[in-house]
Amino acid sequence: MRQLGKAILDINQTDFVVAGVSALACLGTLAGMPVWALFIGWAWYLAIGANKTAIREGSVTCVAAAVLALTAVVLTDAFAVFMPGMQASMLAVFLMIMALMVALKLPCIKHSLVGFNSFSCIFAGYYLGAFPAQSDYILNLVVAFVYITGANILGLFVGWASQQLAGFSFRRRDQQGDLEIS
């Protein structure tokens, strides 16, 4: 209980900024954005470096994995023509996760956390209908990609923006590379 009291007394500017930006992010639901995907992207930003490089690297990995996940959706539908749905899905996921594992060995696709989360966001988000559904199959895939992957990537930027708004930065204090938080 004492630790909780201390934690409450230690609330600072960063805490308020993160809570405020999180609340504002909920407005994305008005545009049909899967806000949960934004929060996942924000977590990636923090987990993979909390810097501009994290945005670039996270975005590249996110897009690559999302394309593989949509390919798994298409393959599932194609395989379901000649095999039961569960087996079709399992085969499609197996093939595309193998492709993701190979992609993660490329220098431009670095973050397995982002890759697997992005794949999962698209795969689950597509089947849960976490985007404005379209009557055309291809358009439906494109809209799912734009909404879900777009929200993931927006989350990377929101992580950066909240960090900037909080005035949180790392600066080198001296030549030896010690970091100071200001």
Side-chain angles (χ1 to χ4, degrees), residues 72 75-76 79 88-98 119 123:
L75 287 175
T76 296
F79 295 157
S89 181
M90 291 171 66
L91 178 57
V93 168
F94 175 83
L95 294 171
M96 290 302 97
I97 291 294
M98 285 299 293
F119 191 101
F123 203 74

Side-chain angles (χ1 to χ4, degrees), residues 24-179:
L24 289 173
C26 294
L27 292 172
T29 58
L30 298 175
M33 181 178 63
V35 175
W36 51 266
L38 180 144
F39 283 111
I40 289 170
W42 189 345
W44 297 341
Y45 175 78
L46 297 171
I48 65 175
N51 55 37
K52 289 182 182 177
T53 301
I55 294 171
R56 184 181 70 249
E57 292 175 356
S59 294
V60 169
T61 303
C62 176
V63 167
V67 167
L68 292 172
L70 283 178
T71 303
V73 168
V74 171
L75 287 175
T76 296
D77 293 341
F79 295 157
V81 171
F82 58 86
M83 64 175 48
M86 180 57 74
Q87 286 88 346
S89 181
M90 291 171 66
L91 178 57
V93 168
F94 175 83
L95 294 171
M96 290 302 97
I97 291 294
M98 285 299 293
L100 178 60
M101 295 304 293
V102 170
L104 287 167
K105 294 175 183 178
L106 300 172
C108 61
I109 301 172
K110 301 179 177 225
H111 302 287
S112 59
L113 171 70
V114 174
F116 279 93
N117 280 170
S118 178
F119 191 101
S120 299
C121 284
I122 285 289
F123 203 74
Y126 181 83
Y127 288 113
L128 292 172
F131 60 95
Q134 307 297 307
S135 57
D136 180 73
Y137 182 74
I138 299 299
L139 186 57
N140 210 39
L141 293 169
V142 170
V143 170
F145 177 85
V146 168
Y147 271 73
I148 299 167
T149 302
N152 284 150
I153 292 172
L154 181 60
L156 291 163
F157 285 96
V158 168
W160 174 84
S162 67
Q163 186 180 47
Q164 299 308 303
L165 289 170
F168 180 86
S169 64
F170 289 109
R171 295 195 182 126
R172 294 209 178 271
R173 210 173 18 194
D174 60 23
Q175 296 292 346
Q176 299 185 346
D178 293 337
L179 294 177

